[in-house]
Amino acid sequence: MSESEREAMEYDVVIVGAGPAGLSAAIRLKQLDADCNVVVLEKGSEVGAHILSGAVLDPVGLDALIPDWKAKGAPLNVPVTEDNFYMLGEAGQLRIPNAPMPPLMNNHGNYIVSMGNVCRWMAEQAEEMGVEIFPGMACSELVYGGNGEVKGVVAGEFGKNADGSHGDSYEPGMELHGKYVFLSEGVRGSLSKQVIAKYNLSDGHEPQKFGLGMKEIWEVDPAKHREGTVTHTMGWPLNGNAGGGSFIYHLENNQVYVGFVVHLNYKNPHLFPYMEFQRFKHHPMVADLLKGGKRVAYGARAISEGGFQSMPKMVAPGVALLGCSVGMVNVPRIKGNHNAMLSGMAAAEAAIEAMSNDRASDELAAYEAEVRTGKIGQDLRKVRNVKPLWSKYGLTASLIMGGLDMWTNTLGFSFLGTLGHGKSDADATEEASKHTPIDYPKPDGKLSFDRLTNVAFSFTNHEESQPAHLTLTDADVPVKSNLPKFAGPSARYCPAGVYEFVEEEGKDTRFVINFQNCVHCKTCDIKDPAQNIVWTTPQGGDGPNYPNM
């Protein structure tokens, strides 16, 4: 069967991605119109399989979407009871008092959750309302209408050989058409990236900024477990090499989320984000917590950090970008799930209004207006200068000036206006000759682990016979340019060991892509200095299978 013979199914709204934004949109569509025909397509093997989050949830989005979520059994079981901030040195720590912090930094009323489990629960609510949800259905391409509008997506294409040809079990997939298509793929989604480029949606906006978030789940000694405790740290081991910090969240059943975020605008290509994370766990405060425990899961994901000024235009003919496809993370709070939920609701409301007036496949301008001027925009405007201050002036200045700016923004004004970000994260990378290599201690196998060992704890799987979902625009760039100029940074910025430079006696250096290891973090698509690596979705169901992440 040729691709031109694909079957097509018609829906009112096609939603790509069963994360908090996509599921909120689906639920809100059915709340407003029970007859609305809605489908949600999820590339993970199940809903929640690809969800990785900092996992402290502000319930404002859920309150608006499903006010009786407690009665319906939503898995929000651990309210935050203690909130700690520390500045770390190599051998000690300094507690930062909570009192001077702006009210928005208070975690009172928030919950430590597994966002994977929250999304599984939301999917159950959506299906009870009649939403069709298809996991394991990667969306490989967009379908355009005769006027250049986004008409739908192709989903469920399977059975290609490694060279891209059709294998014996090839299935061409289906075209799913909608009056509107919602893209809620998360950070740096492949279809969202195409839409942003095709319709020039980033024009007039600051470049998007990103961080790399890595997380492990640990089971700790019950004597050390403090359910409901939230701890954030800054400083060591990154110090002046990069922006970022850590989070340690005590959830139920003696489990602790231990996470580390590295801002991807770092200059030194010798920096090894994954090893910074592993080194962090040897800080006395952290090591004392983890000793006697065991790591049970690992994952990594890019985080959109550009905030208010980096959000591109969110709509084009027939399509709307939701949640982290736009970039709605409140960076100092390390929270974006509440805004993702609110964005899904806003998109649904705009679509229902449009369809009730016999509109279809046009721009949902009402959705964009609500995001920029409503609760999401208000949340992000208050913190819009924290990230650029940190990037330009470092941690200490950002704590003082950023804190003051958040306070004044709480009162409705800012002395700074709106600061720009400047360079993209790829452009921020400087040549290796300007920097000193960093010596990282070898993982001890107890508190710290090598990448490949940890990748096994992400339960990642890719069918090896399929085409690689990581491709190079120019195959010569890694060895001929990135290696001599930047010391081959892809061998370090990837938290899963996908990329390596292989040197064999008597042979030229080879660049190898081990796509089977990929945990779908998208860091390579973001940080590569030449922007030479392209991430696309693999066939459905492949990738990590995060347990309760």
Side-chain angles (χ1 to χ4, degrees):
M1 180 182 289
S2 69
E3 294 180 3
S4 62
E5 295 176 309
R6 286 188 179 113
E7 295 182 15
M9 296 181 67
E10 302 294 329
Y11 291 88
D12 291 318
V13 180
V14 174
I15 301 173
V16 180
L23 291 171
S24 294
I27 291 169
R28 188 61 177 149
L29 285 164
K30 298 295 278 188
Q31 287 175 336
L32 295 172
D33 181 358
D35 295 324
C36 187
N37 199 5
V38 185
V39 64
V40 179
L41 304 165
E42 167 56 39
K43 67 181 175 68
S45 60
E46 64 169 336
V47 173
H50 289 181
I51 297 293
L52 185 76
S53 162
V56 169
L57 178 66
D58 182 338
V60 61
L62 203 54
D63 288 341
L65 181 67
I66 307 176
D68 59 343
W69 55 264
K70 287 185 179 180
K72 290 181 178 292
L76 280 69
N77 304 318
V78 182
V80 175
T81 58
E82 185 178 345
D83 215 355
N84 302 311
F85 295 85
Y86 288 98
M87 182 70 72
L88 297 188
E90 186 169 1
Q93 64 275 349
L94 176 66
R95 173 81 184 271
I96 301 174
N98 295 65
M101 294 186 183
L104 63 88
M105 296 295 290
N106 190 341
N107 274 308
H108 177 74
N110 297 331
Y111 292 82
I112 302 172
V113 300
S114 159
M115 279 309 300
N117 286 343
V118 171
C119 287
R120 292 180 184 101
W121 175 83
M122 292 177 68
E124 293 173 0
Q125 310 309 303
E127 288 181 319
E128 288 176 3
M129 302 173 78
V131 175
E132 295 181 36
I133 300 177
F134 298 129
M137 293 286 279
C139 296
S140 54
E141 60 184 281
L142 295 161
V143 178
Y144 295 97
N147 296 315
E149 77 279 12
V150 175
K151 178 181 177 181
V153 297
V154 175
E157 186 178 20
F158 294 97
K160 282 188 175 181
N161 295 320
D163 62 1
S165 62
H166 296 174
D168 294 338
S169 60
Y170 176 73
E171 298 178 19
M174 297 187 65
E175 290 189 7
L176 293 98
H177 300 165
K179 295 174 182 176
Y180 294 100
V181 175
F182 292 169
L183 299 181
S184 53
E185 302 173 284
V187 176
R188 199 75 164 193
S190 53
L191 299 185
S192 302
K193 185 179 174 183
Q194 293 174 38
V195 166
I196 291 170
K198 178 178 176 65
Y199 298 102
N200 300 313
L201 301 186
S202 289
D203 287 1
H205 302 279
E206 287 291 310
Q208 187 57 266
K209 307 294 286 185
F210 299 92
L212 170 59
M214 298 157 284
K215 185 171 78 173
E216 295 171 355
I217 301 178
W218 280 72
E219 291 180 359
V220 300
D221 182 342
K224 301 176 182 179
H225 185 250
R226 303 189 307 278
E227 184 173 305
T229 297
V230 166
T231 297
H232 292 100
T233 78
M234 294 171 287
W236 189 88
L238 291 172
N239 296 327
N241 287 323
S246 82
F247 56 87
I248 302 173
Y249 304 152
H250 291 243
L251 57 160
E252 53 202 329
N253 301 320
N254 298 317
Q255 289 194 329
V256 176
Y257 293 143
V258 182
F260 199 79
V261 178
V262 178
H263 299 171
L264 289 177
N265 62 350
Y266 60 83
K267 298 177 181 179
N268 185 351
H270 297 292
L271 189 86
F272 198 157
Y274 175 84
M275 290 306 298
E276 296 285 352
F277 175 30
Q278 299 307 303
R279 183 161 60 166
F280 158 76
K281 290 182 290 175
H282 286 273
H283 187 277
M285 183 182 77
V286 185
D288 181 66
L289 170 66
L290 301 182
K291 283 178 180 176
K294 64 177 180 178
R295 160 219 48 181
V296 297
Y298 166 74
R301 182 61 53 88
I303 304 166
S304 58
E305 295 185 338
F308 185 81
Q309 55 270 59
S310 292
M311 292 193 298
K313 184 179 178 183
M314 302 163 209
V315 295
V319 65
L321 307 181
L322 277 55
C324 280
S325 294
V326 175
M328 299 181 181
V329 171
N330 184 312
V331 171
R333 298 184 74 201
I334 322 180
K335 292 180 180 63
N337 288 308
H338 63 300
N339 284 336
M341 292 179 182
L342 293 171
S343 77
M345 293 179 63
E349 290 162 3
I352 290 293
E353 180 184 13
M355 291 186 292
S356 68
N357 290 313
D358 296 322
R359 290 166 46 201
S361 297
D362 58 357
E363 293 191 1
L364 293 173
Y367 162 62
E368 175 138 9
E370 171 59 27
V371 169
R372 295 195 185 275
T373 63
K375 290 182 179 179
I376 299 171
Q378 293 165 16
D379 182 52
L380 297 180
R381 277 188 61 85
K382 293 176 183 177
V383 301
R384 66 190 183 278
N385 292 321
V386 172
K387 171 68 175 180
L389 283 169
W390 198 337
S391 299
K392 293 178 181 179
Y393 303 112
L395 175 58
T396 302
S398 72
L399 285 174
I400 298 171
M401 297 171 63
L404 177 61
D405 191 64
M406 283 191 286
W407 266 112
T408 60
N409 271 289
T410 301
L411 301 174
F413 68 96
S414 171
F415 293 110
L416 301 176
T418 299
L419 300 178
H421 294 300
K423 297 178 180 179
S424 71
D425 292 334
D427 290 336
T429 313
E430 295 181 347
E431 293 190 10
S433 60
K434 297 181 179 180
H435 297 276
T436 303
I438 302 172
D439 183 26
Y440 291 99
K442 184 179 179 181
D444 67 357
K446 298 177 181 178
L447 295 179
S448 52
F449 312 96
D450 65 80
R451 278 184 298 185
L452 295 186
T453 298
N454 242 355
V455 168
F457 282 79
S458 69
F459 308 99
T460 292
N461 179 68
H462 293 89
E463 175 56 53
E464 294 187 16
S465 63
Q466 68 178 294
H469 65 282
L470 298 159
T471 59
L472 303 175
T473 304
D474 184 339
D476 291 334
V477 164
V479 172
K480 292 186 177 180
S481 178
N482 280 355
L483 184 58
K485 289 184 179 180
F486 303 101
S490 57
R492 291 177 295 280
Y493 59 56
C494 174
V498 169
Y499 305 101
E500 59 178 326
F501 292 86
V502 178
E503 297 180 355
E504 297 173 312
E505 187 175 352
K507 297 182 180 180
D508 293 335
T509 300
R510 293 184 296 118
F511 184 64
V512 177
I513 301 176
N514 304 298
F515 75 88
Q516 299 88 347
N517 294 351
C518 179
V519 295
H520 297 197
C521 74
K522 322 286 180 61
T523 300
C524 55
D525 196 298
I526 295 163
K527 185 60 176 172
D528 185 67
Q531 288 293 273
N532 188 52
I533 300 175
V534 180
W535 190 97
T536 55
T537 183
Q539 64 184 21
D542 283 5
N545 286 277
Y546 293 136
N548 304 326
M549 294 290 268

